[in-house]
Structure formats: structure tokens, C-alpha cells
Amino acid sequence: MHEIMPGRKRGIFFVVAVCAVFMQAGLWAGRKQTQNNFPDNTLVSSSKELIPFMKLDARPKIKEHPIPHLMAEAENNFRKLLSRQSKTLEEAVREYRRRYRRDPPRGFDHWWQFVKDNDVLMIDEYDAIAEDLAPFWELPADEVRRRADVAGSLPSIDLVRVRNGNATAVNVRTGSTEVSARARGFLSMIEKFQDRLPDVDFPINSMAEGRILVPWEQRMKLNESGKSFHSRILVHILTAIQGVSPHNSVGLYTSFRASSTTQRQTNQLLAQTHEFSFPESVSGNYSFCENPWAHYNQGHFFSDWRTVSVLFPVFSPAKASGYLDIRIPSHYYYAQTRRYTYGWDPVNLELKPTDHMETAWEQKSDKIFWRGASTGGGSSPPGFSANYQRHRFVRMASDDSTSNRTVVFADPPGSNNYVYVQVPTSALNEEMMDVAFVKVVDSFNYPGGIGALIRDHRFDDGGVNLGDHWRHKYLVDVDGMGYSGRFFSFLESDSAVMKATVYREFFEEWIQPWLHYIPLSPSYQEIYNIHSFFSGATRSALAAANSTALRLPPVKRRPVDGDRRLRRIARAGKQWKRTLGRRVDMEAYVYRLVLEYVRVSSEDREEWNFVL
Ligand SMILES: *[C@@H]1O[C@H](CO)[C@@H](O)[C@H](O)[C@H]1NC(C)=O
Ligand SMILES: *[C@@H]1O[C@H](CO)[C@@H](O)[C@H](O)[C@H]1NC(C)=O
Ligand SMILES: *[C@@H]1O[C@H](CO)[C@@H](O)[C@H](O)[C@H]1NC(C)=O
Ligand SMILES: *[C@@H]1O[C@H](CO)[C@@H](O)[C@H](O)[C@H]1NC(C)=O
Ligand SMILES: *[C@@H]1O[C@H](CO)[C@@H](O)[C@H](O)[C@H]1NC(C)=O
């Protein structure tokens, strides 16, 4: 245990030191707002080296907007991905061997039959499974099983057990079959093929958040320590069972911060924070190790839940990068419920192809819509929630200060004469945003308490149903306490989804940003330019440019194909959900995962190979 303590103490010290710097930086950003082009610098490092860069007038002359290029490339990539999937079992085996340098697991032929029978389109894209199970290949199989056994008795973990081809779920600590919705979800995902499985245990995380966070130093030590391995593990296991005190992962991550920011990173940072720069993919793949300052802007890093600092096989719906949980589809996506399923008719308990609250595209509002509760993280250490992803977004979208934002658009619309204009944030928010909290949660965690939380944020007392979203063309999906369980229903609707997340889920290789949804950076700063591209420069932007388009009637001010492109994203998202995000696609993923897991936890792994 003494191995862990010094690291954690250092972590806490570092947090305190950074807090001080960060708060000063916050003030600095506030004062500077009126003087530079980066008014919303909450995501910019406080590092002094960066300040000169931020003052640079980085305004490349542009001939064409980057978004059509991103969309074309996305479509091209996705088409290639689909068309290169193996067509026969032989091809699939060959591809498997090429990627992972071993044979597929036993049962692969039945899995193949399953995917063929169910028109599953993804045959080869399961690198997520290989990645998640890789650490367990480094352990002996009996150790994997032993750890699964221990994991099953940890707090907030249920066990799904297969015995004689029959799966059941149990809470080992209480002996009860009253288990979490996540365990029940997993149980139903394996129902169709449980009779083909040997006796095996799956520890299922009952919480939304990743659990397994093994400090880097320990991972390295584990890897190299051959013999002394077991005794050390025992100590860690004991620590884990007794409950590592609720601890935040900020310290853990920041301990390997890059202290000297390289030129490359600085440039990356500049690109990431510029208002006219669009990320190619969702921020789930964002490197928090290279950008430690970004931790303070995500509730994820202030978690109250107990992370476990030992490598246990734990199956979770999502994980931030660095976590070692084994990903499975979320039960929110798999189950059919009023709150999370598009087209679900809760009265007749049936799925309708079109949700009864769906709205015709032409009748949808052009505003960017988000509603949710003020969740978004824990409170360890407390006092940071104002910077959490949801709070930042609500404040940004309702900022009525006199600051300006940079909007870039073709003037006149449809031309390739791109102009940069400074537009008052308050006007843009008025024209583009409809973002509010609907529920106060964890207000004790907000500096100043509930009064301050309500004063600082827009609250819409009307509440929101899932179906209310369909009245808007743009739906924003941001993380809450964990990943967002609404994503699949948003995709399936006729609206376009904009998504920011720090989590990685099972489908990351299957979905294509800029085709199926619009990826947002963790700062959201580019959102005004995204809207301007698809829906056209707003009145205030045209006024700032003294555009001749102001004299045109509003419908004519739009770029020719922006709205059409946005609708295409909405349709592609729906199509994705219906061809790749079906329940049976999730079953196919889980089927393959459990075959792999059975092998990695079997005494004779070779014997569990599938050879044609
Ligand atoms: C599986 O379990 C259920 C309930 O415990 C039982 O009714 C059924 O016979 C079992 N099936 C097999 C194949 O053991
Ligand atoms: C452990 O070592 C193996 C090879 O010796 C390497 O492939 C793997 O990446 C290492 N794991 C970690 C966590 O460093
Ligand atoms: C995530 O980043 C790694 C390297 O930084 C890259 O190899 C991988 O393809 C990325 N994944 C996605 C889904 O973008
Ligand atoms: C905003 O931009 C306008 C030019 O469009 C400029 O006149 C004004 O001073 C700017 N306001 C602030 C607060 O920077
Ligand atoms: C705006 O444009 C009109 C002509 O289209 C011009 O007469 C006027 O001077 C311009 N105003 C400014 C402030 O540039």
C-alpha cells in the first residue's frame, strides 16, 4: 500500500497548485475577453508559453469552407470501411489473423453464422475487443479467472454467470438476483447464444462510469515483474476490496503531464481552441495526458466513485482513455424505454418506425437544442463544477456579455469570398441557441450553492421529454455523469446530432464523424461556425459584415446547400442506427467479445482457438 500513497499525496499537492494557477488564469481570461479573438478560453492552458500564440491573428485566407471537405472525406472513409468487410468465413479468419496475429476464438464459425443470419454489416471491425482484452493476455488464465471472481464481489459490480449453458445474474455480496439494469441488459444481450458458452463469469459494472484505472507505473511494474507478481497483486486486491477511498483521477493523470509543451502540441492546442477549426473526430479519443489542463473542464476527472487501481476484468458501458474496463453496449441503447428509445410506444409496448413526436424537417427549428440536468461529475476535489462540460455549455450558450466571437462565412452566400467578422456573442446566442438545464442536481457541489447555480445558468422549468427534441434540427449530446445514454435515440431521429464526449464506447470503429453526426471539440467553440455553415450566417453576422445579403429576404440568405447537407447528416445518422446500431448488432459485438473472453480466461488458450 505504501507504493500508492506517495503518488496520491503528490497528486493532491499538484491539484492544489494547479487550482491556484487555474483560478488566476480564469480571471485573466475574463479580463482579456474584450481584447482578443478567443473570448471563451476556458480550455486554454494557463501555461505562459501559450499566451503569445493566442494573440496571433491566425486568419488564413480561405477559398473554401473546410466542412464540405470533412463530409466528403467521411463519406469516402465509411464507404471504404463497409466495402472492405470480409465476404466469407475464410476471408474473415484471414483478416483476423492479419490483425491480431493469432487464430480467432473457438465458436467463430457460429458467430459468423449469427452475423450472416442477421445481416450484421461489421465483420472485421472489432479492434476495441482486442484492445480491451490485451492486458488480460499478459496474465495467466487462472489469474484472469481469480480476478473475475474477486471483481464479482466488489461494490457496484454484479456477476453474470453461465452454468450449463444457462446464464443468470447475481449480486454476490447480497446473494440476491436483484441486480443492476446494466447486468440485466448484459444478460439479455447474451441470451441467444448462452447455450454455446462454457461455464464462465462476467463481472458487470453497475455504474455508468469506468472503474478500472491502473496507475501507469503499476502497469509497467506488473508487466515486467514475473515472479513476485502474485504477492503484490494480493496486496492490491485487498486494498481494492477494502475500498480505495473515493479518489479523483486528476492527480493520477496529471502526474504524467507533459511539463514542457512542445511546439507541435502548442499548435494542436491553438487549432483545438480556434473558433474556426473543426475536429475530425469526437473528443473521446482526445489525449488528456498530452493536455493535462483539459482535466479541469470535464466532470469526469472529479469522480466520487471508487475507481479500482488493480487490473480486474470488469465489463462497462464506456471508458475514458486510460481506463482498462472491457466495453460492452450500454443497456440504454439495448433496452426499449420511453426515456431512451426513439419510436417507443410505451402503451402498446412496441417500436414504431417513426416516433409519434417526430417533426417534418421544414418545421424543425434551426436552433441548437440541449436540455439536461446539472450533473456532469463528482466533487472530488470540490469547487470545480462550474467548469464541467454541461455547465460550461449552458453558460456559453446563454452568455449575453458584450464579447465578440469570430464568424466566418461566404459573403454573399454561395460565393467563395470568405469574410471573418466579429459578432457580439449575445446576438449569436439569441439567434442560434436554445440550451438550458431542466433540473438542479448536485447543487451543493457548485461554488456558492444552489443560488449561484441558478443565477449563473439558464433554467427551463418546463422539463423535457425525449420527443421534444425532435422539434429541432440540431441536437447536442454531451456527457453527464458518464457517457450519454441518449445518443442512439438522437441518431435515430430525423434531427442532426452534434456530439462531444471524453468516453469511448464499443461502436467507435463503426461510426463515422461528419457523416453520421457532427463531432464537437471539448471547448464547443466552433459551434457558431458550424451553425453558420449549415444554416447560413445569421442576421447579426451579416450586419457585422455589412453584407449585401441583408437586403435579401431571409430564405435567400442561406447558403445553397447548407441545410441540405445538415439534413443529410440527420438521415445518415438514422440510417446508421437502423443498419449498424440495432440490437442485433450489439448482440454480435457481445457474442464475439464473450468468445474472446472465454478463451483468454481458459486454462489452455490454444485449445480455444478456432482453426478452419
Ligand atoms: C436454466 O435455468 C432455468 C431457471 O433456473 C431452468 O428452468 C432451465 O431448465 C435451465 N436450463 C438449462 C439448460 O439448464
Ligand atoms: C507489456 O509488455 C508487452 C510485451 O512485453 C507489451 O506488448 C505491452 O504493451 C506491455 N504492456 C504495457 C501495459 O506496457
Ligand atoms: C485514436 O487515436 C489513436 C492515436 O492517437 C489512433 O490510432 C486511433 O485511430 C484513434 N481512434 C479514433 C476512433 O479516432
Ligand atoms: C466587437 O466587434 C466590433 C466590430 O464588429 C467592434 O467594433 C467592437 O469593439 C467589438 N467589441 C468587443 C467587446 O470587442
Ligand atoms: C455598407 O455598405 C453600403 C453599400 O452596400 C455602403 O454604402 C456603406 O458605407 C457600408 N457601411 C459600412 C459601415 O461600411
Side-chain angles (χ1 to χ4, degrees), residues 376-444:
S379 54
S380 313
F384 284 84
S385 72
N387 280 319
Y388 292 176
Q389 65 281 4
R390 291 184 168 198
H391 299 72
R392 279 190 292 118
F393 185 52
V394 171
R395 280 202 312 282
M396 179 184 103
S398 47
D399 177 2
D400 59 1
S401 74
T402 55
S403 65
N404 282 332
R405 287 188 174 272
T406 307
V407 175
V408 183
F409 63 97
D411 184 41
S415 73
N416 58 7
N417 176 47
Y418 283 88
V419 295
Y420 290 73
V421 290
Q422 294 293 296
V423 189
T425 307
S426 55
L428 291 175
N429 281 336
E430 180 69 37
E431 292 164 328
M432 297 181 182
M433 297 291 185
D434 186 357
V435 172
F437 282 136
V438 283
K439 194 174 163 199
V440 174
V441 178
D442 294 347
S443 57
F444 58 86

